[in-house]
Amino acid sequence: MMKLSIRTAVFAIITLHTLFSNTNVRAQNMMTEMNGLQNLGWYNQAFKSLEDSVMHYQEAMKQPQIPAEKRLVLQHYQRVLDRYRQKLRAFVTKHHETDTAAKALLISCFREVEINADSLNALSALLEGPGKTNVYAGYLKQELAGRENNQVGRAVLDFTMPDINGKQVASSTFRGKYLLVNFWASWCGPCRAEMPELLAVYHQYDNRALEVMAVSVDTDKKSWKKAVNQDQTDWINVFDSLAWNSPVVRDYAIHRIPQNILIGPEGKIVAKNISATGLSKILSKFVPK
């Protein structure tokens, strides 16, 4: 029996805006909102078994395999993913006029079940009436747009955030260089574990071809500053206290960390979730050591 690796990435769910009065809005974590059995029971009953199977084979395909075993795993994966998609479509069709349909689609997105963009857009198009006008459907629309925005080859959506000294820094400032937008937080162990290798590449190419904007999803400014000082990250660290509701985070549908986007000199995305080694290989082709 194949052993599956433990995921090291820290997954954090995007926050959801919930209305309280005419103008008062608070940021609430969706999975906190629906964490109780009374709230998630409907989803678990409908999808949990199939979702677990899909995730099992997603992980299995990442493991070293002989060709025959790889083909078998792929067949199993495609079979359970098709069943999951069919059940999700039937569920959305049945509940298309309630917010439950949008909730189910959002959970699928946030748990990163690999449903392609065309399928998700087709399912969201089934929403009607109250099912299309609720806050979950609105967030789903932005989630799908964010997934399109962060595709390799797309022109970057520029953003501006305050750095550690409070100075506003615009991503557009770095046209002509590679810009690594690195999403992280002080409490994210895997994020901070990869910092030394990324810093080494940054220092190798700094001021010639590479800049880094490290976007924190922290909510506590003191914790953020402490981590920056501890890790001695002398690239551009930015923070706006909005965490998962920060415009750049939502514009790129970021709901797990560590995660990064590499923007090329022409202002287009050239890579996503690139390692320090991969980053160095790209830069070495254009910049003499």
Side-chain angles (χ1 to χ4, degrees), residues 140-166:
L140 175 64
K141 182 178 180 180
Q142 188 169 25
E143 165 73 12
L144 296 179
R147 289 182 169 217
E148 287 294 319
N149 293 337
N150 70 17
Q151 294 302 303
V152 171
R154 292 294 294 264
V156 65
L157 294 180
D158 284 311
F159 64 96
T160 301
M161 290 180 70
D163 67 11
I164 201 161
N165 297 312

Side-chain angles (χ1 to χ4, degrees), residues 9 11 21 25 37 76 88 102 129 145 151 160 163 167 169 172 180 186 194 216-217 230 234 237 241 262:
F11 287 85
S21 61
V25 179
L37 291 178
H76 286 311
L88 187 59
Q151 294 302 303
T160 301
D163 67 11
K167 179 183 177 181
V169 180
S172 58
L180 184 71
S186 64
E194 70 179 16
S216 170
V217 296
Q230 287 177 337
D234 53 352
N237 288 284
S241 78
L262 181 63

